[in-house]
Amino acid sequence: MHYRYVIVGGGLAAAAAIEGIRSQDADGSILLFSRENHLPYRRTPLTKEMWAGSMKLEDLAVHPEGFYEAHKVDVRLRREIVEMDSEHKILWDDRGDSVGFDHALIVTGCRPRRLQAQGADSPSVRYFRALEDFLALEQSMDHIQHVTTVGGGFVALELAATLRARGKEVTMIFPEEWPLHRILPRELGLAVVDYLRSMDIETVSGETIVEVIEEGNGIVRGRTYGGNTLATQVILVDQGSEAQVDLAEAANLDTDDGIVVDEYGRCSRPGFWAAGDVAEFPYLALGQLERVEGAEHAEKHGFCVGANMAGAGTPYTHLPLKW
């Protein structure tokens, strides 16, 4: 089977790329592969509106289900691409099916950095990025009273606040003196710590967990670098993320902090493109290569690169917004 366009990844950049392709090419065949169980959806509400109850599961979808059929897009969910031949432009999924293509867009996004601790493979240690992570945590809420977050990123902060609003006891452990250490100056960072404490969230700065011990009866004990111990029921890890470049590396595409692309989204080999969180692109306003994570960038970059796959020839000049 052969497609004009193959998209590997099922996030916001993938959904936007379909719009970009169709803005230039109304009929070229498109195949979308996604490892997830769901059509492309928005991730940011998973730490915000979904916990507050102001958004429902069906509201997360980027497009209604009928969009893909109406735009002549074949979708294969629960599929992992395991091999890609960059010379002959063929890829294989985890079921052994092969597909030929003219253009392949890699939008595999990021994966959470793992907790480097003894016992970190415990089922009580969880990461939070996908809809399945939200569903698993939401379904266990009735049986959980205490949650510990490890790391000082946006996800840890938002989950700590929303879970506390749900009446859960929360302990935050972060390695620096204050969370968002690379973004906030000290005065503002310490003000955030004070705000968390005003919500009765316990904060532990300058620490991380080095050992996880399952004690049974739903209790897990964590030992910190400083030798302290804590008892909790769930450990949510937010230590940042890293671009998923494994497939690109196997296909001999240039990678650095992400998959290296030019201002049009083209990779180092003809017929290959990358966009969104996984792509390291020329940030024209800064005059340097950058990799930017975030929904707004994924949407804008995905659309631009999708249009370029179909011949638009438009450089990506957008200034990504973070909020």
Side-chain angles (χ1 to χ4, degrees):
M1 188 172 293
H2 187 95
Y3 284 82
R4 174 72 171 158
Y5 310 99
V6 170
I7 300 174
V8 182
L12 187 56
I18 292 171
E19 296 181 27
I21 292 170
R22 285 293 178 246
S23 73
Q24 304 293 317
D25 182 351
D27 299 310
S29 55
I30 303 175
L31 173 60
L32 171 69
F33 283 100
S34 175
R35 68 177 62 180
E36 299 203 48
N37 297 317
H38 313 276
L39 292 169
Y41 59 88
R42 302 186 184 278
R43 299 182 190 276
T44 51
L46 297 179
T47 55
K48 303 178 184 71
E49 294 91 341
M50 292 295 291
W51 290 106
S54 58
M55 181 177 284
K56 298 181 180 178
L57 190 62
E58 55 269 25
D59 299 328
L60 291 176
V62 179
H63 299 122
E65 188 170 353
F67 169 89
Y68 300 93
E69 182 178 359
H71 288 79
K72 294 176 275 191
V73 179
D74 291 340
V75 179
R76 298 184 187 179
L77 301 178
R78 297 174 292 279
R79 298 289 185 98
E80 184 87 23
I81 302 304
V82 296
E83 187 176 352
M84 186 176 286
D85 184 333
S86 58
E87 181 179 353
H88 299 97
K89 295 184 178 178
I90 302 173
L91 56 77
W92 290 264
D93 67 17
D94 53 358
R95 301 186 187 182
D97 295 334
S98 62
V99 173
F101 56 85
D102 295 327
H103 300 275
L105 174 63
I106 304 176
V107 279
T108 44
C110 298
R111 56 174 164 247
R113 288 194 175 92
R114 314 302 285 184
L115 178 66
Q116 300 301 308
Q118 184 177 347
D121 56 351
S122 163
S124 298
V125 177
R126 303 188 188 183
Y127 302 85
F128 200 96
R129 182 170 181 84
L131 177 54
E132 295 300 330
D133 300 325
F134 167 81
L135 294 174
L137 187 59
E138 169 68 13
Q139 290 167 6
S140 62
M141 275 295 98
D142 289 343
H143 309 290
I144 293 175
Q145 186 54 38
H146 190 279
V147 177
T148 297
T149 66
V150 179
F154 281 109
V155 171
L157 284 169
E158 291 171 343
L159 285 177
T162 52
L163 292 175
R164 185 72 192 108
R166 292 278 292 264
K168 308 303 177 183
E169 298 175 21
V170 179
T171 297
M172 285 194 70
I173 299 176
F174 38 89
E176 308 290 352
E177 189 179 1
W178 64 88
L180 300 179
H181 190 267
R182 293 189 299 172
I183 299 173
L184 301 181
R186 186 174 189 272
E187 183 177 1
L188 186 53
L190 294 180
V192 170
V193 174
D194 289 341
Y195 181 69
L196 293 168
R197 290 172 177 167
S198 74
M199 299 170 64
D200 292 327
I201 294 174
E202 180 184 17
T203 64
V204 182
S205 62
E207 277 279 31
T208 190
I209 288 181
V210 296
E211 185 178 14
V212 178
I213 304 169
E214 290 281 353
E215 293 198 342
N217 298 320
I219 301 298
V220 61
R221 190 168 297 277
R223 182 173 64 85
T224 72
Y225 180 81
N228 299 310
T229 61
L230 61 90
T232 188
Q233 291 168 284
V234 174
I235 297 173
L236 292 173
V237 180
D238 174 25
Q239 297 185 144
S241 57
E242 56 188 6
Q244 298 196 85
V245 299
D246 311 66
L247 189 62
E249 290 176 341
N252 296 315
L253 304 178
D254 287 351
T255 62
D256 185 38
D257 183 42
I259 303 173
V260 178
V261 300
D262 65 10
E263 64 268 33
Y264 302 98
R266 296 177 298 204
C267 298
S268 56
R269 285 179 171 264
F272 287 84
W273 310 71
D277 292 1
V278 77
E280 189 174 18
F281 65 98
Y283 202 135
L284 299 181
L286 299 180
Q288 62 189 40
L289 286 176
E290 290 282 341
R291 186 175 69 82
V292 176
E293 297 178 26
E296 195 260 356
H297 166 65
E299 189 169 13
K300 299 292 186 181
H301 198 215
F303 184 94
C304 180
V305 176
N308 288 335
M309 290 170 67
T314 303
Y316 184 65
T317 59
H318 179 69
L319 302 180
L321 172 67
K322 196 81 170 176
W323 71 80

